[in-house]
């Protein structure tokens, strides 16, 4: 009698059920910004996921059209606020290329060191938030403690933790201000900076070790990330996924090796690549990139050239008519600025290609058929910042 | 949940233990710090309202104004990316500085307000000032419950001058 009952129950499970629409958001579980997902779910599996973006839209491309070039660095800082310094560099390089000026070597090396610091701090935020999203709170404190150390160094040079605004067209900020006294106050890197950086890089590397011990062996973490959210390399390329997400899929593409927006060519560093393109690989590639960045910074501070911080540029900056596109390897992926100038005080058009926007566009594909509890694991591993998505 | 899924659960292995070791040594280090009064061990945080950490001298905390140096040239207000500086002034006829000279007109500040609710802390105003009237200070404790008091008037901005670091913080 009982057996008869159970078989009946089994039949009813096979019945077609109506999909349920589930609204996730508008929020992000770990406040990377504001994102809304409209998911059609069938039981525990998603059949269709549609991200709704635009909640963080601040219109930076349009705002840039009514501002002068020195004012725009303030705005581009805020695109991906987790790595503000890295956003400035490609924009400044684009304007410099149109003007035909080149920053002096010391300024370029300072840019390089601070960009790598921004990369470390951005990846450490990922190291903090990703295990937290999967339920492990402890790595957060280790990663954020180390990030604070790196941000303090950034602040000691630029004056800002998140929004350094230290790059100027033709170099980095040379003096305090334009007055008779302040013109003499040079804004070179502080005296103790190089020694402190060397010390901090040792600590960053030992924290990487700690984080690896904390997270990498954890069975729960492994079970939730290994084989989850696999992005094959062709799919990643066709969706325009870039940065650590692309490298986790096995493609060793890094603009630091192929482009010349910063003098990376003399440096010895590896491009870590993953094998499977799953969440685990994306976590691992970022951890490895922190170590490589520390390696780059060490080489850079050992060989930093002396010299001026600023090339000769006119007092009122006008960029000659023309257009250019500069792409850079940002912590989140490829960042590009298409700058169109008609020769005025500000750009005619500034198109921003932000990494997170393209990385996020793979979400509908990757979340299709995924289990609802895996949503957070997959979304967190893509590591997008909604300010970078919506601009 | 499929029953076969339960069979895949394995007992925790050494991975978790190595994680516990990191947590445990950190806990011991913090205890050692607290018990020894800071001689050994490590602690990464401070008890904020009681103990204050000073930001680096270059930190862009708040902008101070030296009223006497300002000539109401409006360069700062014009170069501000979000136009949060409000300046009004008038011309005053000053008596001649030496006998026989002629009286000079000098611009005098009536109003110099910075709306810190709008300010993006970029520092362009400080940078363009050709008369050394604006300075950064690392001071940060001026949060408010309302938007209104975030507008600092010229007297409040003058008060911040006391906190401008030695050598402007540019060298250290």
């Amino acid at each position: 009698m009982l057996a008869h009952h159970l078989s009946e129950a089994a039949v009813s499970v096979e019945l077609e059920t109506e999909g349920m629409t589930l609204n996730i958001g508008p929020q992000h579980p770990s406040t990377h910004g504001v994102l809304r997902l409209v998911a059609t779910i069938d039981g525990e599996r998603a059949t269709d996921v549609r991200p709704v973006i635009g909640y963080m839209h601040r219109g930076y491309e349009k705002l840039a059209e009514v501002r002068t070039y020195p004012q725009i660095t303030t705005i581009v800082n805020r695109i991906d606020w987790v790595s503000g310094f890295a956003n400035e560099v490609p924009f400044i390089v684009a304007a410099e290329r149109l003007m035909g000026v080149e920053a002096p070597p010391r300024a370029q090396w300072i840019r390089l060191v601070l960009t790598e610091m921004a990369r470390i701090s951005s990846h450490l935020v990922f190291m903090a938030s990703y295990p937290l999203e999967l339920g492990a709170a402890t790595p957060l404190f280790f990663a954020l403690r180390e990030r604070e150390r790196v941000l303090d160094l950034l602040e000691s040079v630029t004056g800002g933790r998140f929004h350094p605004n230290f790059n100027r067209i033709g170099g980095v900020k040379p003096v305090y201000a334009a007055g008779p006294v302040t013109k003499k106050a040079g804004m070179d890197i502080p005296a103790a900076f190089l020694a402190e950086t060397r010390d901090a890089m040792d600590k960053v590397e030992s924290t990487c070790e700690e984080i690896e011990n904390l997270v990498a062996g954890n069975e729960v973490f492994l079970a939730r990330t290994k084989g989850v959210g696999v992005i094959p390399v062709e799919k990643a390329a066709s969706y325009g996924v870039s940065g650590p997400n692309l490298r986790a899929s096995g493609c060793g593409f890094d603009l630091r090796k192929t482009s010349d927006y910063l003098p990376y060519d003399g440096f010895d560093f590896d491009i870590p690549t993953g094998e499977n393109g799953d969440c685990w690989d994306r976590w691992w590639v970022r951890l490895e990139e922190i170590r490589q960045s520390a390696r780059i910074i060490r080489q850079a501070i050992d060989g930093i050239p002396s010299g001026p911080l600023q090339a000769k540029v006119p007092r009122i900056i006008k960029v000659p008519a023309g257009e250019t596109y500069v792409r850079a390897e940002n912590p989140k992926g490829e960042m590009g600025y298409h700058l169109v100038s008609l020769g005025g005080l500000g750009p005619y058009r500034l198109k921003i290609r932000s990494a997170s926007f393209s990385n996020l566009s793979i979400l509908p594909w990757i979340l299709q058929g995924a289990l609802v509890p895996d949503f957070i694991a997959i979304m967190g591993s893509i590591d997008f910042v909604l300010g970078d998505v919506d601009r | 949940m499929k029953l076969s899924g339960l069979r895949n659960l394995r007992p925790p292995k050494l991975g978790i233990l190595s994680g516990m070791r990191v947590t445990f040594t950190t806990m011991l280090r913090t205890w050692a710090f607290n018990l020894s009064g800071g001689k050994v061990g490590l602690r990464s945080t401070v008890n904020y309202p009681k103990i204050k950490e000073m930001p680096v001298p270059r930190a862009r905390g708040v902008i101070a104004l030296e009223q006497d140096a300002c000539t109401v040239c409006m360069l700062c207000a014009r170069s501000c990316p979000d136009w949060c500086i409000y300046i009004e002034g008038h011309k005053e006829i000053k008596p001649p500085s030496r006998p026989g000279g002629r009286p000079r007109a000098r611009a005098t500040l009536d109003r110099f307000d910075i709306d810190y609710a709008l300010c993006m802390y970029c520092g362009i105003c400080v940078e363009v000032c050709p008369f050394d009237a604006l300075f950064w200070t690392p001071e940060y404790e001026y949060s408010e419950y309302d938007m209104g008091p975030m507008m600092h008037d010229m007297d409040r901005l003058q008060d911040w001058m006391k906190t401008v670091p030695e050598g402007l913080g540019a060298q250290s």
Side-chain angles (χ1 to χ4, degrees), chain A residues 121-243:
Chain A
S121 70
S122 165
H123 283 350
L124 279 172
V125 171
F126 174 80
M127 287 296 143
S129 67
Y130 188 50
L132 185 74
E133 283 157 15
L134 297 181
T138 317
L140 174 106
F141 300 102
F142 288 85
L144 285 193
R145 181 191 71 199
E146 226 42 48
R147 170 172 174 265
E148 200 56 38
R149 205 189 304 281
V150 175
L151 286 183
D152 278 351
L153 282 170
L154 251 169
E155 191 183 21
S156 76
V157 177
T158 64
R161 275 157 43 90
F162 266 45
H163 306 308
N165 195 25
F166 195 60
N167 285 295
R168 299 287 176 270
I169 290 174
V172 293
K173 190 177 173 182
V175 291
Y176 188 86
V181 178
T182 47
K183 213 185 320 195
K184 297 191 183 88
M187 289 290 277
D188 207 334
I189 47 179
F193 176 75
L194 295 182
E196 278 171 17
T197 308
R198 213 167 275 137
D199 181 46
M201 287 309 118
D202 289 343
K203 294 205 167 110
V204 163
E205 281 180 349
S206 76
T207 299
C208 283
E209 206 71 30
E210 278 180 333
I211 291 175
E212 200 169 4
N213 281 335
L214 271 172
V215 175
N218 193 309
E219 289 277 304
V220 182
F221 188 80
L222 289 175
R224 291 211 60 187
T225 54
K226 282 236 164 166
V228 173
V230 177
I231 307 179
V233 65
E234 315 82 53
K235 267 288 174 230
S238 67
Y239 273 92
V241 173
S242 57

Side-chain angles (χ1 to χ4, degrees), chain A residues 67 70-71 74 78 142 145 155-160 163-165 168 173 176-182 185-188 190-191 210 213-214 217-219, chain B residues 13 15-16 18-19 21-23 26 29 44 56 58-60 78-83 120 122 124 126-132 135-136 168 170-172:
Chain A
R67 270 163 183 75
Q71 289 175 343
T74 322
R78 285 157 170 80
F142 288 85
R145 181 191 71 199
E155 191 183 21
S156 76
V157 177
T158 64
H163 306 308
N165 195 25
R168 299 287 176 270
K173 190 177 173 182
Y176 188 86
V181 178
T182 47
M187 289 290 277
D188 207 334
E210 278 180 333
N213 281 335
L214 271 172
N218 193 309
E219 289 277 304
Chain B
K13 284 196 281 195
I16 281 184
S18 76
R21 200 192 67 222
V22 174
T23 317
T26 309
R29 266 192 286 174
S44 304
V56 290
R58 274 189 199 182
R60 299 200 298 262
R78 276 193 303 167
S79 62
C80 178
D82 50 5
W83 306 288
M120 299 210 285
C122 63
I124 293 178
V126 178
E127 216 173 310
V128 296
C129 179
F131 300 105
D132 288 340
F135 299 94
W136 277 113
L168 304 174
Q171 305 297 335
S172 50

Side-chain angles (χ1 to χ4, degrees), chain B residues 15 48 56 69-70 72 97:
Chain B
Y48 164 60
V56 290
C70 181
V72 204
S97 54

Side-chain angles (χ1 to χ4, degrees), chain B residues 139-158:
Chain B
E139 205 57 44
Y140 55 92
E141 289 176 312
Y142 54 97
S143 49
E144 302 281 355
Y145 287 102
D146 286 317
M147 297 278 265
M150 290 302 283
M151 181 86 94
H152 289 200
D153 62 8
M154 54 195 265
D155 294 328
R156 187 141 186 227
L157 294 172
Q158 178 75 51

